[in-house]
Amino acid sequence: MSLDSPALWLALIQIIWINILLSGDNAVVIAMACRSLPEKTRKWGIITGAGVAVALRILFTGIVATLLALPWLKLIGSLALMYIAVDLALPNDGNDEAVEASDSLWKAVGTVAVADIVMSLDNVVAVAAVANGSWLLLGLGLAISIPLIVAGSSLVMAVLDRFPLLVWAGAALLGWVAGEMLLTDVAVMDRIGGADVAHHWEYPVAALGALLVVGIAYGVGRLRKAKAHGEA
């Protein structure tokens, strides 16, 4: 895809949106890891930690995107993405792991980088699915979205809390991407009659993926509420 391609810009917007929705905890990790640094050093810890995290995530996402070219892995990735989407739409139980503060700049940077990679498996799978092997999309999307998350995490979280429909729309988007991803698996295409048949069913299956995610998340949420009321 070239820079003047509408498909590239649409995919870029999807990557940025998905990252903002799925990366709410990343800014918290950075703040927690850098909170014990001296005031003058803290800013560089945040900037450097975020930069290292961007570079490592681009690398790991690129590896995952390359692996998704193998038979059956896109099918597995599609199911994983649906699980991630359902989990996104459900309320957060608030069981975030504590991050140890560091009094050394490079120790803080290392903490941020490692924690970001460990916490970002969902981002990696989702972004790899949208990028579909394009390193240009990976680099642009992640380079733009992660600094936005770091700089405006409080604002982003406030907007999502104020307009929960955006979270549901994001979950539906992931379900749509999962549906598209499933049909592009080499093994699946071979079994349904080739790329032409897969392309014919692309939008119906993508829409089914979005509806399935929203329906499952809604049902699980209702069951959790009923269980909570029963235990109260």
Side-chain angles (χ1 to χ4, degrees), residues 23 26-28 30-31 46-47 49-51 53-54 112 116 145-154 156:
S23 297
N26 292 68
V28 177
I30 292 174
I46 292 173
I47 293 172
V54 169
V112 169
D116 181 85
S145 56
I146 295 178
L148 283 176
I149 294 160
V150 172
S153 59
S154 298
V156 169

Side-chain angles (χ1 to χ4, degrees), residues 91-220:
N92 190 353
D93 293 331
N95 294 326
D96 298 330
E97 296 182 5
V99 178
E100 183 181 353
S102 304
D103 53 10
S104 162
L105 172 61
W106 293 110
K107 185 179 178 184
V109 170
T111 300
V112 169
V114 172
D116 181 85
I117 292 301
V118 171
M119 294 171 62
S120 298
L121 180 59
D122 51 359
N123 305 63
V124 167
V125 174
V127 172
V130 175
N132 198 24
S134 171
W135 283 89
L136 176 61
L137 271 176
L138 292 180
L140 284 176
L142 295 177
I144 292 171
S145 56
I146 295 178
L148 283 176
I149 294 160
V150 172
S153 59
S154 298
L155 177 60
V156 169
M157 292 302 105
V159 170
L160 293 179
D161 287 339
R162 179 70 177 83
F163 302 104
L165 186 61
L166 292 176
V167 177
W168 284 94
L173 170 62
L174 289 177
W176 181 281
V177 172
E180 289 183 325
M181 184 181 184
L182 185 150
L183 282 181
T184 59
D185 188 289
V186 176
V188 172
M189 283 193 292
D190 286 344
R191 279 158 180 76
I192 65 174
D196 290 339
V197 176
H199 182 70
H200 176 75
W201 287 99
E202 179 181 355
Y203 291 127
V205 173
L208 179 62
L211 291 172
L212 190 62
V213 162
V214 172
I216 292 174
Y218 180 77
V220 172

Side-chain angles (χ1 to χ4, degrees), residues 59-109:
L59 175 63
F60 280 103
T61 309
I63 293 171
V64 169
T66 302
L67 290 175
L68 287 177
L70 299 175
W72 298 117
L73 284 186
K74 280 192 175 181
L75 173 62
I76 296 171
S78 173
L79 297 176
L81 199 52
M82 286 191 180
Y83 174 83
I84 291 166
V86 170
D87 188 60
L88 169 67
L90 294 173
N92 190 353
D93 293 331
N95 294 326
D96 298 330
E97 296 182 5
V99 178
E100 183 181 353
S102 304
D103 53 10
S104 162
L105 172 61
W106 293 110
K107 185 179 178 184
V109 170

